[in-house]
């Protein structure tokens, strides 16, 4: 199958389930597991940027969750043909037939609209606009434009997933600053090695669905090299906030230790074709970002 081709796949017709199943499916379309790390970077960034009230933190997180959830639901609608072909995603609400495609789209638009209105009225227009930009970037730039056309999809499209620090900074201070851009850059450069490690595990499924992820188009060896390259770039970017005086010793120690561990695992993966090494790097990358942002708060507060 030609990379990037859109294949027509029969999606099961909608079927009525129990109320509990319906609620579960609509929550599932918001991709809550993906959101957890995004919300953690939001909260930590807010406490790096200032001393926000608890209500402001809660409202910002709610707005961010609605925006990310809306993007996730629209993604379920747009990618229903791909999802139906992949074992990992075939049982999702839309391809399985439990939720109608139109309902998923309407749910996503409702959540995204609710996010903008909530944040514009209770936080500020800048934060609301940045959250909306993240949704549009994920839906339009990544899902519609890049995902099916280029192996660089996750590199360029990763900017959408890096928006939470900008939203959080704007929500706390009412404006953006250079420090916020450093945090954006950290998440941006973290995304490729994180996602490519997962794509190594899912290579065959992406290939069968015609999605031109890097391992499918360039091969696993090139992907492992790219993971190492972007890991080194990431480590360099994490040191920029120290070089420009945003953070000090606590963060520096954490960035060096975590970066060294990430680099060591990327080097091991480059030399190994074992699936377990890709899985270990993928799982560690989740802990890496959480610990790095936690170190930012510790450095800013102590």
């Amino acid at each position: 199958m030609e990379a990037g081709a859109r294949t027509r796949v029969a999606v099961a017709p909608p079927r009525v389930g129990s109320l509990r199943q319906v609620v579960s499916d609509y929550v599932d379309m918001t991709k809550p597991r993906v959101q957890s790390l995004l919300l953690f970077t939001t909260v930590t960034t807010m406490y790096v940027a200032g001393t926000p009230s608890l209500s402001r933190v809660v409202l910002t997180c709610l707005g961010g969750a609605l925006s990310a959830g809306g993007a996730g639901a629209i993604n379920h609608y747009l990618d229903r043909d791909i999802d139906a072909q992949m074992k990992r995603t075939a049982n999702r609400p839309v391809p399985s037939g439990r939720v109608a495609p139109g309902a998923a789209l309407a749910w996503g638009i409702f959540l995204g609209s609710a996010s903008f209105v909530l944040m514009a009225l209770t936080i500020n227009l800048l934060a609301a606009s940045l959250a909306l930009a993240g949704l549009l970037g994920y839906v339009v730039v990544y899902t519609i434009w890049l995902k099916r056309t280029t192996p660089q999809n996750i590199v360029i499209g990763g900017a959408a997933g890096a928006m939470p620090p900008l939203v959080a900074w704007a929500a706390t201070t009412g404006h953006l600053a250079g420090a916020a851009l450093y945090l954006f850059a950290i998440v941006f450069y973290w995304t490729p090695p994180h996602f490519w490690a997962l794509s190594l595990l899912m290579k065959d499924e992406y290939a069968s669905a015609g999605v031109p992820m890097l391992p499918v188009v360039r091969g696993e060896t090139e992907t492992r090299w790219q993971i190492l390259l972007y890991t080194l770039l990431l480590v360099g970017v994490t040191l920029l906030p120290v070089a420009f005086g945003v953070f000090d010793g606590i963060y520096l120690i954490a960035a060096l230790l975590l970066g060294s561990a990430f680099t060591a695992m990327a080097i091991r993966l480059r030399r190994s074709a074992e699936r377990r090494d890709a899985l270990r790097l993928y799982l560690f990358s989740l802990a890496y970002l959480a610990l790095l942002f936690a170190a930012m708060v510790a450095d800013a507060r102590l």
Side-chain angles (χ1 to χ4, degrees):
M1 182 185 299
E2 183 180 352
R6 183 185 290 268
T7 304
R8 292 187 176 275
V9 175
V11 177
R15 60 178 187 267
V16 179
S18 67
L19 177 60
R20 182 176 181 178
Q21 181 65 63
V22 171
V23 172
S24 176
D25 285 336
Y26 275 78
V27 171
D28 184 53
M29 286 191 292
T30 67
K31 301 187 177 183
R33 285 180 293 180
V34 175
Q35 283 201 41
S36 59
L37 188 56
L38 298 179
L39 292 177
F40 184 78
T41 61
T42 298
V43 173
T44 49
T45 298
M46 293 185 76
Y47 284 103
V48 169
T51 308
S53 65
L54 179 60
S55 61
R56 181 165 290 265
V57 173
V58 171
L59 287 168
T60 302
C61 286
L62 178 57
L66 290 171
S67 180
I74 297 172
N75 174 265
H76 273 248
Y77 164 77
L78 293 170
D79 277 355
R80 62 193 185 278
D81 57 333
I82 293 174
D83 289 344
Q85 298 179 70
M86 299 173 63
K87 182 179 179 181
R88 181 176 66 93
T89 56
N91 195 45
R92 282 179 171 176
V94 178
S96 68
R98 296 193 303 275
V99 174
L105 177 61
W107 177 232
I109 293 173
F110 168 76
L111 292 176
S113 301
S115 167
F116 184 84
V117 172
L118 173 69
M119 297 188 77
L121 293 178
T122 64
I123 306 299
N124 57 59
L125 186 59
L126 177 58
S129 299
L130 289 168
L132 179 60
L135 183 153
L136 294 176
Y138 183 72
V139 170
V140 178
V141 178
Y142 173 67
T143 304
I144 295 178
W145 176 30
L146 298 172
K147 184 173 183 179
R148 302 172 188 247
T149 59
T150 173
Q152 293 299 307
N153 46 25
I154 200 61
V155 177
I156 304 170
M163 293 299 290
L166 298 184
V167 174
W169 200 281
T172 305
T173 67
H175 62 270
L176 292 178
L181 298 180
Y182 294 140
L183 305 193
F184 169 88
I186 288 171
V187 181
F188 180 82
Y189 280 99
W190 166 86
T191 301
H194 162 74
F195 194 86
W196 283 334
L198 176 63
S199 70
L200 285 171
L201 300 172
M202 303 297 301
K203 175 191 172 185
D204 292 341
E205 292 197 38
Y206 282 128
S208 66
V211 182
M213 291 300 177
L214 191 63
V216 176
V217 176
R218 303 282 178 82
E220 294 188 19
T221 300
E222 177 63 20
T223 301
R224 292 195 294 268
W225 269 111
Q226 290 294 320
I227 287 174
L228 176 57
L229 172 62
Y230 271 86
T231 299
L232 294 174
L233 289 172
L234 169 64
V235 173
V237 169
T238 63
L239 299 180
L240 290 178
V242 178
F244 288 93
V246 178
F247 298 122
D248 209 334
I250 294 176
Y251 170 81
L252 175 60
I253 293 171
L256 290 174
L257 291 176
L258 290 168
S260 297
F262 206 151
T263 302
M265 295 183 74
I267 292 173
R268 180 182 177 87
L269 179 60
R270 190 201 67 79
R271 297 172 176 172
S272 169
E274 296 291 333
R275 289 174 58 85
R276 66 173 178 266
D277 290 320
L279 179 60
R280 286 170 180 167
L281 189 142
Y282 170 74
L283 294 175
F284 174 77
S285 68
L286 296 169
Y288 169 89
L289 193 64
L291 291 171
L292 190 68
F293 271 74
M296 294 177 189
V297 177
D299 190 278
R301 295 291 169 177
L302 297 179

